[in-house]
Amino acid sequence: DAGLLGRITRRLINRLCWQGSGQAEALLARYSGVDFASTHSLDENVPQTRRKLGTLDSLRYETFELASRTFSDERLLAMLARWIREDRASFLISALEAPDASFPRIAAALEHYGEIELEEDDLSRAMRTGLRVSLLRRFFTEQLDFINHAKPHVRVEDFNALLDHLIAEVDSHGKLGGKSAGLFLAEKVIRTAAEDEPLLQEIKVPRTWYISSDGLLAFIRYNNLDDVYSRKYMSLEKIRRDYPHIVQVFKNSPFPPGLVAGLERALDDFGGVPLIVRSSSLLEDRSGSAFSGKYKSLFLANQGSREQRLEALTDAIAEVYASIFGPDPIEYRAERGLLDVHEEMGVMIQEVVGRRVGKYFFPSFSGVAFSLNEFRWSPRIRREDGLIRLVPGLGTRAVDRLGDDYPVLIAPGQSELRVNVTPDEVARYSPSKIDLIDLEANAFVTLEVRQVLRETGLDYPGLLQIVSLYDAGHLRRPSPVRVDVDRDDLVVTFEGLRTTTPFIRQVRLLLELLSEATGEPVDLEFASDGDSLFLLQCRPQSYSEQSQPASIPTDLPAEQVVFSARRFVSSGLLEGISHLVYIDGEAYAALETREQLQQVARAVGLLNARLPRRGFLLMGPGRWGSRGDIRLGVGVTYSDINNAAMLIEVARRKGDHLPDLSFGTHFFQDLVEAGIRYLPLYPDDEGAV
């Protein structure tokens, strides 16, 4: 192979020069015609004279003869062997960097790489890094931050597993998207760290299939829907009005045969396990643009015949695709100067973590965890102590704002500091509902925790770690032999999980490990099947810069105080406020129809579009932006409030219920990321104005 011999001769001359061989420099000078003793001309702002290169034929014998005198036989043979291996591996970089690098071509190149039995550790550091960077760029993103953080943790063979679970058109040139990238990197970081840390060895990632980002383009082209791309330039009100129609058009459109064939393979692999279809946009889960909750994630029971399961799966994917054209993500992109970017949407299809108990399928518990705790319930809690939102069952109730329930909040760095201290408070503000999948009804449902405990009893996975017994004003751990789910007053406290398992230490270790690996605070989603902890998502956490405490006047006349707050007050000063949009709580509660309640949210959205950006405050009752009963809080979305300087929620007690704080939800992350201040007011507190 004359070409190979020439390339190796050139490398050998360079290596001899690095060794300081004057004879090698003379050989190289004869080949290139350059006087290496005089290199000042390289810095001049004039073109260098082109010199005709000599032929390597005349230098080969001299080069090898000089090398044989400079290096031992063993070292020389080792260098030659490695260079030959690296030369054989260079075809993979060429395949990855080619303009026509479709996934089938990459799969063929990776297969050939495996056939020639190249070991990555046998390659030079430069070649290993080049391969990893090319693979990361091709599969995930051109973002240098991600590539720089990921390349120490991945290996070439890791990408074979992705290709084995990839759904794409034959000529696909897409990528896998932000959510896929975050989970892929997190899994590799954990795998490496688990070699020295037993707490990480049991952490798993659920089985996942991927649809490449240009699957959306193929779907749109196949159904002649190209006009949807221009809709992002319409007014927000028109986008909002047309979006439900777009969703239905997508859900009634067929999929290209290539994608259907891939989805059938995925369903055969999953079998009858419930699934979740998750967005993985190319813009998603970036630092500063996490798109938290902007795109759909949809649960599927995945029951019935193969045809029924395929129909349900394609229907869900179509709805996820349509969510890219909704008002919230379009407004979110416009704010960040991303509106003109041609966005593509990858999709992740994951098995739902959990177990079947009777007719239900659900995880023991789920939640979200954050590196930074933006609102602390105790002065002893530091920002770096983090935050966990924990719920029984599926994690939807941990990431969404809810009008009728509470998660359990834990600061992993100070887990002994409770939000609620007295047994009565713990019981009153414990999770009362659970999201799960009803396999018989083939549906996602929300039920009372007590009902599910009565139906499942001790078959509920990890039951004794999750509940406490509330008896005569006291809380205690239930006995495994004496618990009676029908009679006992069982309260979801996660006390056993907190005190008798390594869960808190696992989560804190994960937060620290992944934050260090990615170079920024992280936001994790997780679930447990009762035995193992599964990581579902890892992305940058949206966080605000710490503000300096403002000087508060002490001699302010009482008539000049509009409101006062003593709980969960963040530091800072807002100036230039010209308007206060105030919604009267009693008047809002008196509205009789859902349409009237929705009109209030629409009015807020119209004011949000017309008032000066960051020049007005929003103030009103309950939990704004919550999922479910909008009577308990104004039913706004991100695009209704994104221009406000601050959201002030008035949390009046109603019977036994006090509205829950938003921090840790997708809604709260939107506020933090957009720089919108958040303040809860408790008018029932003593001395509150």
Side-chain angles (χ1 to χ4, degrees), residues 79-134:
M79 285 191 297
L80 297 177
R82 188 174 76 244
W83 292 340
I84 291 171
R85 286 194 300 269
E86 291 179 1
D87 195 84
R88 294 169 70 193
S90 63
F91 77 91
L92 182 53
I93 292 181
S94 299
L96 291 166
E97 300 295 341
D100 59 343
S102 64
F103 278 124
R105 178 173 177 180
I106 293 168
L110 282 171
E111 183 178 2
H112 180 53
Y113 177 86
E115 288 172 349
I116 59 180
E117 298 181 346
L118 285 171
E119 291 292 336
E120 193 173 343
D121 292 337
D122 292 336
L123 304 177
S124 68
R125 181 183 176 188
M127 176 63 79
R128 286 199 306 271
T129 303
L131 282 173
R132 293 173 181 181
V133 168
S134 294

Side-chain angles (χ1 to χ4, degrees), residues 311-581:
E311 182 179 357
L313 180 57
T314 53
D315 184 77
I317 294 168
E319 189 168 341
V320 171
Y321 280 163
S323 67
I324 207 171
F325 303 104
D328 276 9
I330 287 176
E331 180 73 359
Y332 185 91
R333 289 169 61 193
E335 283 188 332
R336 286 155 180 78
L338 299 172
L339 196 60
D340 297 330
V341 175
H342 186 68
E343 188 170 10
E344 295 182 15
M345 171 74 78
V347 171
M348 297 168 62
I349 307 170
Q350 282 184 334
E351 64 177 333
V352 175
V353 173
R355 293 184 187 176
R356 178 167 189 160
V357 183
K359 66 177 182 177
Y360 302 126
F361 188 97
F362 56 93
S364 172
F365 61 86
S366 304
V368 289
F370 303 91
S371 296
L372 301 178
N373 192 330
E374 291 292 347
F375 281 84
R376 278 80 76 188
W377 51 87
S378 165
R380 290 168 56 192
I381 295 176
R382 300 166 304 154
R383 196 176 187 222
E384 296 74 24
D385 286 327
L387 174 69
I388 300 173
R389 289 175 64 93
L390 209 54
V391 297
L394 298 172
T396 40
R397 307 184 77 77
V399 299
D400 292 334
R401 288 214 76 184
L402 301 167
D404 57 353
D405 207 4
Y406 304 90
V408 171
L409 302 181
I410 301 171
Q414 299 276 2
S415 59
E416 74 282 0
L417 298 177
R418 318 294 174 107
V419 178
N420 301 301
V421 179
T422 68
D424 179 61
E425 286 180 333
V426 172
R428 182 182 303 166
Y429 300 123
S430 67
S432 62
K433 297 186 179 182
I434 180 173
D435 287 346
L436 41 74
I437 294 172
D438 186 328
L439 297 174
E440 291 183 2
N442 204 15
F444 173 96
V445 296
T446 299
L447 300 174
E448 296 289 334
V449 169
R450 293 178 186 273
Q451 174 190 338
V452 174
L453 292 180
R454 284 195 298 269
E455 292 188 45
T456 61
L458 289 173
D459 290 332
Y460 188 112
L463 175 68
L464 300 181
Q465 296 175 354
I466 292 173
V467 299
S468 296
L469 180 62
Y470 187 53
D471 182 25
H474 297 280
L475 284 168
R476 57 182 172 84
R477 296 280 312 284
S479 166
V481 295
R482 299 179 59 184
V483 64
D484 186 336
V485 295
D486 292 316
R487 296 184 179 180
D488 291 343
D489 189 359
L490 298 177
V491 177
V492 175
T493 62
F494 297 105
E495 188 63 23
L497 187 71
R498 187 197 297 249
T499 59
T500 67
T501 76
F503 167 73
I504 301 294
R505 286 185 291 131
Q506 272 184 316
V507 173
R508 190 175 186 193
L509 183 59
L510 272 179
L511 290 170
E512 292 172 352
L513 174 70
L514 296 174
S515 179
E516 181 181 356
T518 60
E520 54 193 336
V522 293
D523 163 354
L524 309 179
E525 291 185 22
F526 57 83
S528 170
D529 61 2
D531 292 325
S532 299
L533 188 66
F534 286 77
L535 183 65
L536 310 179
Q537 180 173 292
C538 175
R539 65 180 168 205
Q541 180 185 354
S542 305
Y543 63 95
S544 59
E545 297 297 331
Q546 285 284 70
S547 298
Q548 295 300 316
S551 175
I552 301 174
T554 57
D555 56 349
L556 205 63
E559 62 270 17
Q560 298 230 352
V561 177
V562 181
F563 59 82
S564 62
R566 291 181 169 83
R567 290 201 259 169
F568 308 107
V569 182
S570 58
S571 297
L573 176 68
L574 290 176
E575 297 181 294
I577 304 300
S578 61
H579 292 77
L580 171 67
V581 178

